[in-house]
Amino acid sequence: MDNLQFKRHRRLRNSAGMRNIVRETHLHKEDLIYPIFVKEGTNLKNEVASMPGVYQWSLDRLDEEIDEVVSLGISTIIVFGVPADKDECGSSAYDSNGIVQKGIKHIKGKYPDLIVIADTCLCQFTDHGHCGVIEEGQILNDPSLELLAKTAVSQAEAGADIIAPSNMMDGFVAAIRQGLDEAGYVDVPIMSYAVKYASAFYGPFRDAAHSSPKFGDRKTYQMDPANRLEALREAQSDINEGADFLIVKPALSYLDIIRDVKDRHPVPVVAYNVSGEYSMVKGAALNGWIDEKAVVLEKLTSMKRAGADLILTYFAKDVAKWLNEN
């Protein structure tokens, strides 16, 4: 053993202080985007059965949620709407008095410095649950673009700081950018759901947003989970069309895609830590099978390490509390 030569890597791990000063990846409160579900009605705080700790809020009780978010130091939220009525074309998505628009106005009226992102899609508002216009059972791409642009403009008018289209229609960023610019909202950025897979991890969200399709599935417009190069093409198209941020959804099973996108595009990349990822961890934690805090922090740190600048996560409030404790 006298002549044995090797590197002593453990020197940089031998105390908590040493590990802290050489840590490469850090999670901050400013990295977090918290999703909020606003629902038509009064005196509502409805817990989503498949997402413990996540609620649908009516406008008259929304301050309970927003006040806590702000007090924790979370600077960015995204608003999803649950309307009272739905129709074939999802008209309440672009109604100036729609639930998302009312929610945005309410939030920005009380907290003008809070960054409010508007989820821009039709599925929660259509009676068929798909993200576009339907004709003879087919989801039509181009007619859907006009409605999506109208939705984005109405959300910007309500005060949204960022528009986040999640529909995966071809050309949706170009259509929305043109619509916003023509309406005078040239400074409102687009956070595109650029890479959105047809994933099995979305089930609990559809409980929260009441957005399950009434027939078929979304595989003709959301991506095949087996594909990598397709993600690069989708991201490049959205950059060419004017996207300011790129979302990869889901996050945990697609860390390689996050890294690919970040390596190729010098714009902020957002990891969407989706509902199924949240529910699995919450369910295991509630059964005492895992250390929730340790697992969540490790998981979100892996997303940052993969290249995400921001993380859209239902754990945002929990993480903010843990970071505040530290």
Side-chain angles (χ1 to χ4, degrees), residues 221-274:
Y221 45 105
Q222 295 178 2
M223 291 172 48
D224 186 337
N227 292 354
R228 171 175 171 260
L229 298 180
E230 183 183 7
L232 305 182
R233 297 194 297 270
E234 288 278 2
Q236 185 64 62
S237 291
D238 286 7
I239 288 293
N240 294 344
E241 293 172 19
D244 302 282
F245 303 77
L246 299 174
I247 297 176
V248 177
K249 179 183 180 182
L252 193 58
S253 294
Y254 300 88
L255 297 177
D256 58 324
I257 306 301
I258 293 172
R259 172 47 60 190
D260 284 339
V261 170
K262 186 61 181 177
D263 284 346
R264 286 162 176 79
H265 301 292
V267 299
V269 173
V270 184
Y272 195 148
N273 178 211
V274 299

Side-chain angles (χ1 to χ4, degrees), residues 156-173:
E157 289 174 345
D161 297 289
I162 300 172
I163 298 299
S166 58
N167 53 89
M168 288 296 285
M169 297 294 117
D170 291 335
F172 69 99
V173 173

Side-chain angles (χ1 to χ4, degrees), residues 110-146:
K110 184 168 186 182
Y111 292 110
D113 294 331
L114 184 66
I115 297 296
V116 177
I117 305 169
D119 179 76
T120 306
C121 199
L122 302 176
C123 60
Q124 297 104 297
F125 306 95
T126 56
D127 54 15
H128 47 73
H130 279 285
C131 303
V133 174
I134 300 292
E135 185 176 294
E136 296 180 355
Q138 299 296 313
I139 297 91
L140 303 183
N141 193 91
D142 294 7
S144 303
L145 297 181
E146 180 180 354

Side-chain angles (χ1 to χ4, degrees), residues 38-42 44 57-59 82-85 97-100 102:
V38 185
K39 181 178 173 63
E40 291 281 13
T42 57
L44 297 179
W57 297 89
S58 55
L59 286 175
V82 184
D85 300 301
N97 200 40
I99 185 59
V100 170
K102 289 190 293 187

Side-chain angles (χ1 to χ4, degrees), residues 7-58:
K7 179 68 176 177
R8 294 192 180 276
H9 298 284
R10 290 178 58 190
R11 290 171 180 157
L12 303 185
R13 304 176 197 148
N14 61 19
S15 70
M18 185 69 74
R19 292 190 295 273
N20 285 339
I21 66 171
V22 300
R23 183 162 294 129
E24 300 172 24
T25 305
H26 295 270
L27 188 64
H28 304 287
K29 288 185 291 183
E30 292 79 11
D31 303 331
L32 306 173
I33 301 171
Y34 183 59
I36 291 178
F37 296 92
V38 185
K39 181 178 173 63
E40 291 281 13
T42 57
N43 194 31
L44 297 179
K45 181 187 177 182
N46 298 337
E47 187 169 30
V48 180
S50 55
M51 299 179 71
V54 174
Y55 298 87
Q56 299 169 332
W57 297 89
S58 55

